[in-house]
Amino acid sequence: MKTNVTVVLIFACLATSALAQDANKKKAAKKAQRDKILVEVTDVLEQWKTAFNAKDAEALSKLYDLKADVIYDDDVHHRSRKSLLKRFEEEFGKDGAVQQEITEVDRKILSPRIVVETGVWKNTGSTDKSRADRGRYSCILVKKKGKWLIVQDRGWAQPAKK
């Protein structure tokens, strides 16, 4: 009888150990997936900043979904990549010296295909004094056919820091 109890206890310990190892593997896989997503969306932000600061309206607009939904601090509602291309071309034509820095970036991964990003933008070198030089933004990125695209973006001005 003692032998049977011992065998059952050993089996229970082995089963518990296997379950714990499986849980650790799943946790590690989730972390690896999360880290991969963060690297990929960080790359999109870097592409955005590079294209903006290079005044490359075409490259910038290609970071958005074809049916993007965007409103920036100028309160114009853009509902397509084509509309954004026109907006960026006009902005860079009027204010070719503007540069943008993005800080305080925070991301929330909603699923392996959806990320919400927020942050603070600051423009320098602008000749258009009617526009704000800093503000906040919030955007939603969706992975479509292996590529992260901005599907919704909102940007609003903030008063200058005192």
Side-chain angles (χ1 to χ4, degrees):
M1 181 80 146
K2 284 186 179 181
T3 305
N4 289 343
V5 171
T6 303
V7 170
V8 169
L9 286 174
I10 290 172
F11 180 73
C13 287
L14 290 174
T16 302
S17 176
L19 288 173
Q21 288 176 356
D22 188 47
N24 286 339
K25 285 180 185 177
K26 285 181 181 177
K27 190 175 182 181
K30 243 184 171 175
K31 183 185 179 324
Q33 181 183 44
R34 181 185 190 290
D35 291 347
K36 182 178 183 279
I37 290 168
L38 291 175
V39 165
E40 291 173 352
V41 295
T42 297
D43 184 54
V44 173
L45 177 60
E46 290 304 314
Q47 289 176 53
W48 198 99
K49 290 190 299 188
T50 299
F52 185 94
N53 290 332
K55 311 302 174 270
D56 188 343
E58 189 170 330
L60 193 55
S61 67
K62 286 182 180 178
L63 297 173
Y64 291 82
D65 187 61
L66 288 171
K67 295 182 179 180
D69 178 10
V70 178
I71 303 173
Y72 290 131
D73 61 308
D74 59 2
D75 201 32
V76 176
H77 198 171
H78 301 277
R79 297 177 190 264
S80 69
R81 182 186 290 169
K82 187 176 179 180
S83 176
L84 285 164
L85 174 62
K86 183 179 176 187
R87 183 232 193 251
F88 291 130
E89 287 173 341
E90 288 173 1
E91 179 178 0
F92 298 150
K94 285 190 248 177
D95 202 0
V98 67
Q99 295 285 295
Q100 191 165 91
E101 178 184 344
I102 297 174
T103 59
E104 297 180 40
V105 175
D106 186 46
R107 297 186 177 102
K108 184 172 200 79
I109 299 172
L110 301 181
S111 80
R113 294 183 48 242
I114 303 171
V115 174
V116 175
E117 176 179 291
T118 61
V120 173
W121 55 267
K122 181 176 182 186
N123 291 340
T124 57
S126 177
T127 56
D128 185 354
K129 300 305 175 194
S130 68
R131 299 281 305 272
D133 64 353
R134 69 184 297 277
R136 291 195 167 274
Y137 75 94
S138 178
C139 67
I140 299 171
L141 296 106
V142 174
K143 194 169 192 178
K144 293 185 172 187
K145 296 181 183 177
K147 183 177 179 179
W148 287 97
L149 296 170
I150 302 166
V151 296
Q152 187 178 47
D153 194 2
R154 298 293 188 263
W156 56 96
Q158 288 186 294
K161 283 187 174 180
K162 294 179 183 179

